[in-house]
Amino acid sequence: MIYQGNRITVSLLDEGIANMQFNAEGESVNKFDAETNKQFDEAVSALEKADNVKGLIVTSSKGVFIAGADITEFVSHFNKEAAEIEKWIVDINGVFNRFEDLPFPKVAAINGAALGGGCEMTLVCEYRVMGDKAQIGLPETQLGIFPGFGGSVRTPRVIGIDNAVELIATGKAQKPAEALKLGLVDAVVAQDDLQEAAVDLVKKCIAGDLDWQAKREEKLQPVKLNQLEQTMAFSTAKAAIFAKANPKQYPAPAIAIETIEKHVNLGRDEAIKVEAAGFAKAAKTPQAESLVGLFLNDQTVKKLAKQHTKNAHDINEAAVLGAGIMGGGIAYQAASKGLPIIMKDIKSEQLDLGMGEASKLLGKMVERKKMTPAQMGETLSRIRPTLNYGDFGETDIVIEAVVENPKVKHAVLKEVEGLVKDNAILASNTSTISITYLATVLERPENFVGMHFFNPVHRMPLVEVIRGEKSSEEAIATTVALAQRMGKVPVVVNDCPGFLVNRVLFPYFGAFDLLLKQGADFVHVDKVMEKFGWPMGPAYLIDVVGLDTGVHGAEVMAEGFPDRMKPDYKGAIKHLFENNRLGQKNGVGFYKYEKDSRGKPKKTADDATYALLKDTTDTDTQQFDDQTIIDRMMLAFCNETVRCLEDNIVATPSEADMAMIMGVGFPAFRGGPCRYIDQVGLDNYLALCEKYAHLGKAYEAPQKIRDMAAAGETFYPKA
């Protein structure tokens, strides 16, 4: 044994070939955490002293090769000064460089995901052999940073500037065939043959059949392109990347490209220093803080969901009541994940609509070659459309997705409860109606919960699981387990009008209505909020949701929270609805919609909208600058999020932030409303609340904000 640690071992195989194996004891995956970095340094020192090693392979004992750096450690590092971050990165790179400089050939045997630091570990080897089930990539820009363990230096030298920039800027993981085509790996073999292939490659290097020194040398020298070729490569790459990602919202790709441009004409050691400086610059952006926080919040939410499933019943078959677009989407989602589901409706044309929705979604999967026609047929066969309750006796969970009307829901829920087994779970896909109220007609209210999907079901990852006053832990656990089985991210919330997401969304629409009343232009407001980072502005969003749905939801919210959600005037949304402008569903809302060449609705500003809005606009109108619009919209949204924490509707800032990002598209690079408040600063945020408090209760600071500001606290503690 050349080196023995609990993260890394280096042992000698036959014919002078060593095996450096990453094997983090007690961990599910290998990653470059502080202890692994320390042992990597020690292992390299041991190899530098070893005189009996002629070549080396790098392997993993896990299903994942190396998942990358330990992101949980990033927060403490990123809170340091840029110079300290730079030194941390340079020191780690010193070990990677020493490994690369070892006086013998090295081959990485990539058996699973080699991402981030895992990919960079393979790049310090002369050759890379990839298993046919593995993947490789540099996803760091998705965390607001870019590769810092030499990845931005070595990839342009290995696969060319244009390919490297795309790989780094998009963060997309590459499958074996893609990686081989790029030149990111040198061979792809069956998983079972991986170590043998890596050893064979090392032997060929030792025998002189392969010029491994030349492979290394190309990574140590500047990129071999003249200045004109470099300029063209960078210009083309920038145009493609910046068309997809706004550099002001997501600066990491731009910083990465700028850094690569600075170091492509330098030797490795000097280039690494430039990379470290660029990495530190990206790490100090608020976007990096938000996106790293988002990753950690995602892990937290998934852990909490796992804890909720401890008392879950087995789910062998589900059912959905209501076979419209929503019911069809739910049925598709269950069936696509292998779960048999009954789809029940009282009208055959609705069943046709639901099956048509499922067929359409599966057909698109076939078009993209992500599914074969045979697999599509198999998936569709898991959906059983029916007009009666004949097969409901053995169903484990029933999702009610009928019209958003409490009387109709009461009738349907009461009827189905008498037809299912005693321990079957009933879940309502209501978006606003109290679960506790809906349970009042049931004999077994402990078996009843809310299960709020977001439209379109196949795209929106969030499911709110709503706990009524009498919902049992078993019912919550089983519903959470179902959401996970359907590939969704469940967040458990307590019952109130609108639950979490819609309760927070309606003050946002209320703030929009008030701006329009006082003279703001809805197109201008949309542009400002889209520039802020929302996927669509509030006018466009309510058009997509449907103004009828919006008005109904607003009435529920006004009854539940009259102090801040019951306006003393008729707003623009209600007025347009009363003039039969429903949004995309009938072609006119705030905007007018016509089909584009691909058959998708395309919006244009409509003069008729402006004419109607004159009826709801003050005579003494105001002018609003962009920041005022942002402040007023975001105060209403963020304040209600905080009130949901105060009222224990949602348990943690992590869950609140993830729900807003996954449920309504809160800008991911801002990290969620709680993270946004932290970045504005609690004192600054409180001052904004006081500035706009005269507009109404929705703008007044919640007591929790006042208490936190007084105590110098934040939602996310600084490390």
Side-chain angles (χ1 to χ4, degrees):
M1 186 68 70
I2 297 171
Y3 176 79
Q4 177 75 53
N6 63 357
R7 296 284 196 280
I8 298 173
T9 59
V10 185
S11 57
L12 203 59
L13 306 177
D14 296 333
E15 301 179 53
I17 298 173
N19 178 11
M20 174 182 277
Q21 185 172 80
F22 283 78
N23 179 20
E25 294 178 9
E27 301 286 344
S28 58
V29 298
N30 297 313
K31 55 191 173 185
F32 278 108
D33 55 14
E35 182 57 30
T36 302
N37 287 330
K38 175 176 171 288
Q39 291 188 22
F40 185 39
D41 186 0
E42 294 168 353
V44 171
S45 295
L47 283 164
E48 287 171 334
K49 295 171 186 172
D51 56 7
N52 55 346
V53 177
K54 297 178 181 178
L56 178 141
I57 61 171
V58 180
T59 64
S60 164
S61 67
K62 309 285 185 184
V64 168
F65 178 71
I66 303 172
D70 187 347
I71 296 168
T72 61
E73 295 179 354
F74 280 13
V75 176
S76 60
H77 285 294
F78 289 7
N79 283 329
K80 297 174 182 174
E81 295 297 321
E84 292 181 83
I85 298 172
E86 201 171 326
K87 182 180 183 303
W88 168 58
I89 290 294
V90 167
D91 288 346
I92 292 173
N93 270 293
V95 183
F96 275 79
N97 291 352
R98 284 169 48 217
F99 178 86
E100 187 169 45
D101 293 341
L102 288 169
F104 43 76
K106 302 170 293 298
V107 176
I110 307 165
N111 65 309
L115 302 173
C119 176
E120 289 168 302
M121 182 67 222
T122 74
L123 289 168
V124 289
C125 297
E126 283 69 49
Y127 292 94
R128 290 158 292 284
V129 182
M130 191 173 187
D132 57 5
K133 300 288 188 285
Q135 58 176 323
I136 187 168
L138 296 165
E140 288 89 344
T141 52
Q142 296 173 13
L143 296 172
I145 50 177
F146 67 93
F149 295 173
S152 82
V153 172
R154 293 183 177 92
T155 46
R157 290 155 172 79
V158 172
I159 65 174
I161 290 172
D162 48 356
N163 288 331
V165 167
E166 183 176 0
L167 183 74
I168 291 168
T170 63
K172 182 186 172 188
Q174 306 295 308
K175 293 179 179 177
E178 297 167 335
L180 185 63
K181 186 178 178 181
L182 279 176
L184 192 57
V185 299
D186 301 286
V188 173
V189 299
Q191 296 285 124
D192 293 343
D193 300 331
L194 188 58
Q195 182 160 326
E196 182 182 344
V199 169
D200 183 60
L201 205 51
V202 171
K203 287 180 179 178
K204 287 179 178 175
C205 291
I206 295 168
D209 297 337
L210 296 171
D211 190 352
W212 61 271
Q213 290 97 336
K215 290 279 283 184
R216 174 187 297 180
E217 192 64 22
E218 73 178 5
K219 295 181 292 174
L220 305 182
Q221 300 302 320
V223 170
K224 293 179 173 60
L225 280 182
N226 64 44
Q227 198 58 51
L228 178 60
E229 290 171 322
Q230 287 185 27
T231 301
M232 290 176 63
F234 280 115
S235 296
T236 304
K238 284 179 187 174
I241 298 304
F242 295 161
K244 296 177 183 176
N246 184 335
K248 290 184 179 179
Q249 295 179 352
Y250 293 91
I255 297 172
I257 295 170
E258 170 192 293
T259 302
I260 295 169
E261 279 189 284
K262 287 180 181 177
H263 67 49
V264 289
N265 295 310
L266 301 175
R268 180 197 67 187
D269 292 356
E270 290 304 308
I272 289 290
K273 294 176 185 176
V274 174
E275 178 186 82
F279 181 93
K281 179 180 178 181
K284 294 302 292 181
T285 62
Q287 289 88 346
E289 179 186 47
S290 294
L291 292 168
V292 168
L294 193 61
F295 176 88
L296 298 176
N297 283 352
D298 182 60
Q299 300 300 303
T300 298
V301 166
K302 286 174 180 173
K303 284 178 185 174
L304 290 170
K306 190 175 181 181
Q307 291 171 14
H308 278 298
T309 61
K310 288 178 181 176
N311 299 315
H313 299 162
D314 289 339
I315 303 170
N316 298 310
E317 182 180 74
V320 59
L321 301 177
I325 297 297
M326 178 62 78
I330 292 170
Y332 157 81
Q333 192 66 32
S336 67
K337 299 300 180 182
L339 178 65
I341 186 165
I342 301 169
M343 184 166 61
K344 156 77 167 70
D345 206 285
I346 58 173
K347 296 180 180 178
S348 57
E349 55 265 34
Q350 285 296 104
L351 290 176
D352 291 341
L353 180 63
M355 289 303 293
E357 177 70 7
S359 297
K360 181 181 75 175
L361 294 171
L362 289 165
K364 288 180 180 177
M365 296 284 284
V366 173
E367 282 176 26
R368 297 191 200 108
K369 301 193 184 309
K370 295 194 173 181
M371 178 181 281
T372 65
Q375 289 170 325
M376 174 179 170
E378 184 183 348
T379 303
L380 276 174
S381 71
R382 296 191 192 105
I383 305 173
R384 281 190 290 154
T386 182
L387 292 169
N388 59 63
Y389 288 109
D391 295 325
F392 273 59
E394 294 304 313
T395 298
D396 300 299
I397 186 165
V398 179
I399 304 164
E400 169 271 304
V402 301
V403 64
E404 189 76 351
N405 179 308
K407 289 183 180 178
V408 176
K409 287 183 182 292
H410 267 162
V412 169
L413 289 166
K414 188 173 182 178
E415 182 180 25
V416 76
E417 185 186 35
L419 300 167
V420 296
K421 56 190 179 183
D422 287 352
N423 67 344
I425 306 301
L426 301 185
S428 176
N429 181 48
T430 176
S431 56
T432 56
I433 305 168
S434 165
I435 296 303
T436 301
Y437 172 69
L438 288 178
T440 56
V441 299
L442 298 177
E443 296 291 328
R444 299 185 293 276
E446 68 276 8
N447 288 351
F448 180 61
V449 300
M451 191 180 191
H452 180 208
F453 291 85
F454 291 79
N455 201 16
V457 175
H458 67 287
R459 282 193 191 151
M460 302 297 281
L462 179 68
V463 168
E464 285 181 303
V465 177
I466 304 108
R467 186 196 308 273
E469 284 181 10
K470 295 186 178 180
S471 301
S472 69
E473 288 305 316
E474 290 81 7
I476 294 293
T478 305
T479 309
V480 168
L482 174 63
Q484 290 178 316
R485 184 164 175 185
M486 292 174 73
K488 298 302 180 184
V489 181
V491 171
V492 177
V493 300
N494 286 319
D495 191 23
C496 71
F499 320 126
L500 172 60
V501 173
N502 280 332
R503 173 174 161 178
V504 171
L505 186 59
F506 276 92
Y508 179 80
F509 284 139
F512 172 59
D513 252 346
L514 185 57
L515 280 166
L516 297 194
K517 178 180 182 291
Q518 295 176 339
D521 175 13
F522 72 90
V523 174
H524 179 216
V525 175
D526 270 10
K527 287 179 178 176
V528 169
M529 298 315 293
E530 286 164 10
K531 188 177 179 182
F532 179 80
W534 286 90
M536 56 184 75
Y540 189 18
L541 177 59
I542 195 69
D543 274 1
V544 171
V545 170
L547 278 77
D548 52 343
T549 303
V551 167
H552 168 75
E555 289 170 351
V556 174
M557 296 298 110
E559 184 179 346
F561 309 101
D563 63 334
R564 58 189 183 277
M565 297 192 208
K566 188 174 184 179
D568 57 2
Y569 61 91
K570 184 199 289 185
I573 296 171
K574 187 169 185 179
H575 186 58
L576 293 181
F577 162 69
E578 289 176 348
N579 282 272
N580 197 35
R581 298 177 75 89
L582 307 183
Q584 283 190 354
K585 64 181 67 175
N586 75 340
V588 285
F590 278 93
Y591 296 94
K592 182 167 61 178
Y593 295 89
E594 294 174 349
K595 297 283 180 69
D596 64 13
S597 58
R598 294 178 296 172
K600 294 187 176 181
K602 181 182 179 182
K603 66 181 172 73
T604 54
D606 188 4
D607 290 340
T609 304
Y610 287 106
L612 285 167
L613 291 183
K614 288 178 182 177
D615 298 335
T616 58
T617 304
D618 292 342
T619 52
D620 52 339
T621 58
Q622 303 174 37
Q623 297 291 316
F624 299 100
D625 61 40
D626 291 3
Q627 192 58 49
T628 298
I629 290 170
I630 290 167
D631 290 342
R632 287 177 54 161
M633 295 293 294
M634 295 315 299
L635 282 178
F637 189 95
C638 294
N639 280 348
E640 199 61 36
T641 305
V642 175
R643 288 190 178 99
C644 286
L645 286 165
E646 280 183 332
D647 296 346
N648 196 34
I649 300 304
V650 63
T652 65
S654 297
E655 291 168 288
D657 281 350
M658 289 302 294
M660 296 310 153
I661 287 166
M662 293 186 294
V664 289
F666 190 97
F669 67 91
R670 297 189 186 276
C674 296
R675 178 80 62 184
Y676 175 70
I677 293 171
D678 276 356
Q679 291 188 341
V680 169
L682 269 291
D683 289 336
N684 295 333
Y685 186 85
L686 185 57
L688 281 173
C689 289
E690 290 170 353
K691 177 180 177 181
Y692 292 107
H694 67 281
L695 295 173
K697 186 78 173 177
Y699 303 87
E700 293 177 13
Q703 189 59 44
K704 185 176 181 68
I705 292 287
R706 298 180 186 280
D707 294 344
M708 289 174 66
E713 295 175 349
T714 53
F715 287 102
Y716 295 98
K718 298 286 184 183

